[in-house]
Amino acid sequence: MRPLDETETDAVFRKLHSFTGHNLKNIVENSTHEGPEPNPGRYCFRLHKNKVYYVSESLVKRATNISRKNLASLGTCIGKFTHGGNFHLTIQALNLLAANAKHKVWLKPTSEMSFLYGNHVLKGGLGRITDSISKNDGVVVFSMSDVPLGFGSAARSTQDCRKLDPNGIVVHHQADAGEYLRMEDEL
């Protein structure tokens, strides 16, 4: 497990910024109160086997006694780097994104299952949407009772959604909470 280099950090922060905007500062400067130290530590990003983890510094210090080949995971896996060097967020980052989301979409109860099966969000299933969403912005998808269901990228801006037909795509699916069941062997 090692710290991210400059290009990796840039890729991770660009992806997180598309979902959180200026709230990225809250993620980076989040303090933790775990560990034996009296001073609160911070959370940091670490890379292990092409996966990026969001973990407290005190836990990283305690994990230095474990060899790399014996270390399976540490903290919350928020994403992974592909062989081409691109960074993809995974569903494990949903709680972190939902707490700091800049753009949100709420689904009607009738379309929640469709999204949880891996389908895109259609205009007919849209309950509410935040203003000032631009095309390709990162969007966190919630149920009407504010339960985070997943995330994706905006297919259209908020203004374009108003004049869209009910079968038009509003949010392109990237990840949802149903992946825990569909990809049980991989996760």
Side-chain angles (χ1 to χ4, degrees), residues 10 24 33 38 47-48 67 81-82 87 93 117 119 127 129 135 149 169-170 179 184:
D10 183 50
L24 179 60
H33 298 287
L47 183 72
H48 183 65
S67 67
F81 282 99
T82 63
F87 179 70
Y117 282 128
N119 298 318
I129 186 170
K135 186 177 180 179
L149 301 175
I169 297 175
V170 176
E179 284 183 19
E184 188 174 11

Side-chain angles (χ1 to χ4, degrees), residues 16-84:
L16 288 174
H17 186 268
S18 72
F19 286 93
T20 61
H22 296 297
N23 293 338
L24 179 60
K25 180 180 174 184
N26 297 340
I27 295 172
V28 174
E29 296 179 356
N30 190 11
S31 62
T32 177
H33 298 287
E34 63 182 43
E37 295 92 20
N39 298 333
R42 293 189 180 244
Y43 282 92
C44 57
F45 297 96
R46 293 289 185 257
L47 183 72
H48 183 65
K49 297 181 182 176
N50 289 337
K51 293 185 178 180
V52 177
Y53 294 92
Y54 184 67
V55 60
S56 67
E57 290 175 343
S58 64
L59 191 56
V60 170
K61 288 177 187 174
R62 288 182 270 160
T64 56
N65 298 335
I66 302 170
S67 67
R68 284 187 178 190
K69 69 176 188 169
N70 292 335
L71 185 64
S73 176
L74 186 66
T76 303
C77 177
I78 62 163
K80 60 184 177 181
F81 282 99
T82 63
H83 292 292

Side-chain angles (χ1 to χ4, degrees), residues 3-162:
L4 302 174
D5 64 21
E6 189 174 326
T7 58
E8 293 166 343
T9 303
D10 183 50
V12 171
F13 282 2
R14 260 190 285 113
K15 183 66 82 165
L16 288 174
H17 186 268
S18 72
F19 286 93
T20 61
H22 296 297
N23 293 338
L24 179 60
K25 180 180 174 184
N26 297 340
I27 295 172
V28 174
E29 296 179 356
N30 190 11
S31 62
T32 177
H33 298 287
E34 63 182 43
E37 295 92 20
N39 298 333
R42 293 189 180 244
Y43 282 92
C44 57
F45 297 96
R46 293 289 185 257
L47 183 72
H48 183 65
K49 297 181 182 176
N50 289 337
K51 293 185 178 180
V52 177
Y53 294 92
Y54 184 67
V55 60
S56 67
E57 290 175 343
S58 64
L59 191 56
V60 170
K61 288 177 187 174
R62 288 182 270 160
T64 56
N65 298 335
I66 302 170
S67 67
R68 284 187 178 190
K69 69 176 188 169
N70 292 335
L71 185 64
S73 176
L74 186 66
T76 303
C77 177
I78 62 163
K80 60 184 177 181
F81 282 99
T82 63
H83 292 292
N86 296 325
F87 179 70
H88 292 268
L89 287 171
T90 57
I91 190 60
Q92 291 93 340
L94 181 61
N95 289 337
L96 192 63
L97 295 177
N100 298 293
K102 180 180 177 185
H103 304 298
K104 300 178 183 181
V105 167
W106 289 266
L107 296 180
K108 293 177 182 175
T110 55
S111 64
E112 287 178 15
M113 287 307 293
S114 175
F115 180 75
L116 291 175
Y117 282 128
N119 298 318
H120 301 305
V121 176
L122 303 178
K123 166 78 182 320
L126 197 62
R128 292 187 315 188
I129 186 170
T130 56
D131 290 335
S132 71
I133 294 178
S134 301
K135 186 177 180 179
N136 297 326
D137 280 347
V139 177
V140 179
V141 179
F142 290 89
S143 68
M144 289 303 279
S145 56
D146 284 333
V147 176
L149 301 175
F151 54 88
S153 62
R156 292 179 169 65
S157 66
T158 305
Q159 289 76 22
D160 293 342
C161 290
R162 292 190 177 117

